[in-house]
Amino acid sequence: QEKEVWLPILFALLYDNMASIVPGDLPYEEEKRQWLDAVSPALEKAPRQMILCFAEDQLAGFVQFYTRDDLLMVEEVQIAKPYHRSFVFYHLCRFLLEQLPPEIEIVEAYAEKRNRHSLRIMEKLGMEIMGEEDPFVHLRGDAAPIKEKFAK
């Protein structure tokens, strides 16, 4: 509901995390415009949602996702650099999983194939690569063991 306020802030967090992993060819403002043009209308679709995570009134991270039948599609997870290697990712994922309908059985996500850290996390969660759509890989896993890891 406040996407005009939050989307530029979320893009800044995304850009800060990804610029060293996947440097863009475009100037910052153009990459921002393209991202906003894609994400803003997508958020108008009912199943697509975002959860923002705060630590002491500071944005610590966010997750963008949607559900369809028995599927959870995680489109984006970003954690602010001061909270890398903290429990923010765990708490964000736990909160997300607590909000999901019980019929969710499958988790899917896309990751930039050069983002080795993200790929390692998904592999630890039991997700497997289903295919590649350059520059992304498509991962899929059973939701039950993933839910168990975040229920502890």
Side-chain angles (χ1 to χ4, degrees), residues 99-122:
Q99 310 311 306
L100 296 177
E103 60 267 15
I104 297 297
E105 295 179 7
I106 300 164
V107 178
E108 291 189 8
Y110 284 88
E112 218 296 341
K113 62 182 167 185
R114 292 175 283 182
N115 190 342
R116 296 286 172 215
H117 182 69
S118 181
L119 290 171
R120 278 194 309 272
I121 289 171
M122 287 188 258

Side-chain angles (χ1 to χ4, degrees), residues 43-55:
L43 287 173
E44 298 298 323
K45 297 175 183 170
R48 188 161 277 113
Q49 299 179 55
M50 282 191 172
I51 295 174
L52 307 184
C53 177
F54 293 87

Side-chain angles (χ1 to χ4, degrees), residues 21-79:
I21 298 169
V22 186
D25 297 332
L26 301 173
Y28 177 88
E29 287 301 322
E30 180 59 20
E31 286 197 33
K32 178 179 169 183
R33 185 194 63 73
Q34 288 183 9
W35 189 81
L36 293 173
D37 288 351
V39 173
S40 184
L43 287 173
E44 298 298 323
K45 297 175 183 170
R48 188 161 277 113
Q49 299 179 55
M50 282 191 172
I51 295 174
L52 307 184
C53 177
F54 293 87
E56 299 179 13
D57 296 330
Q58 296 293 315
L59 179 67
F62 72 93
V63 59
Q64 179 180 328
F65 67 98
Y66 66 85
T67 61
R68 183 181 64 237
D69 302 322
D70 65 347
L71 171 73
L72 165 64
M73 174 57 79
V74 179
E75 296 182 301
E76 192 71 58
V77 177
Q78 292 294 327
I79 305 297

